Amino acid sequence: SRDLRRWIQHLKAGGDASLFVDLKFHDIPNTVAGAVRSATRLGVDYLNIHCGGGGEMIRAAVAACADEAAKSSVKRPKLLGVTVLTSLDDPGVQEIGFPRSASAQVKHFVELAKENGLDGVVCSAQELPLVKSLAGPDFITMVPGIRPSGASSADQKRTLTPAEAVAAGAQCLVIGRPVTGAPDPVQAM
């Protein structure tokens, strides 16, 4: 934990790096609250939990995040709720027990996130218009499943290109394997 904290401080030393810790906490409220406290102490800018943990878990995470930031004298990270993983399409969402389409499940989770105090959500770029209409322009959207033109979608089912996602209103893009798996990650970026 101390080494991780030093590494995060090193990355943020230049002043222009925002760090998103994509740990997707999903457990009972007490366990998620403890995990959020630990992540908050690191001084990251964004962290996430799964909306599927329910309102009680979300409220516990929100309270723990605010409380720990105050105790640790760090800026409170923006706490985001994962809606529906971008690797899931409608049949995948139904396979895990949700009777709705992916977009209807995202709608439900956005409402749950907003009602219980989250700062925003992690959602597919395909659902950005829906999220913005439900939660407003200030509700943060962290958007994974971004695939540059010509890149393989791999296991991602609900994707858009960076330009399409920005045009749809994305605030923060998550571009993983097209960069990390490239022979020259800097060039890919």
Side-chain angles (χ1 to χ4, degrees), residues 12 125 148 185:
K12 293 185 74 167

Side-chain angles (χ1 to χ4, degrees), residues 130-144:
L130 170 67
V131 172
K132 294 300 182 181
S133 72
L134 290 169
D138 295 331
F139 199 63
I140 298 166
T141 51
M142 183 74 65
V143 184

Side-chain angles (χ1 to χ4, degrees), residues 144-156 159-162 173-189:
I146 301 298
R147 293 295 183 259
S149 294
S152 167
S153 61
D155 59 350
Q156 300 294 298
T159 65
L160 288 181
T161 67
L173 303 181
V174 178
I175 307 172
R177 286 171 282 178
V179 173
T180 62
D184 183 350
V186 172
Q187 177 62 35
M189 197 57 193

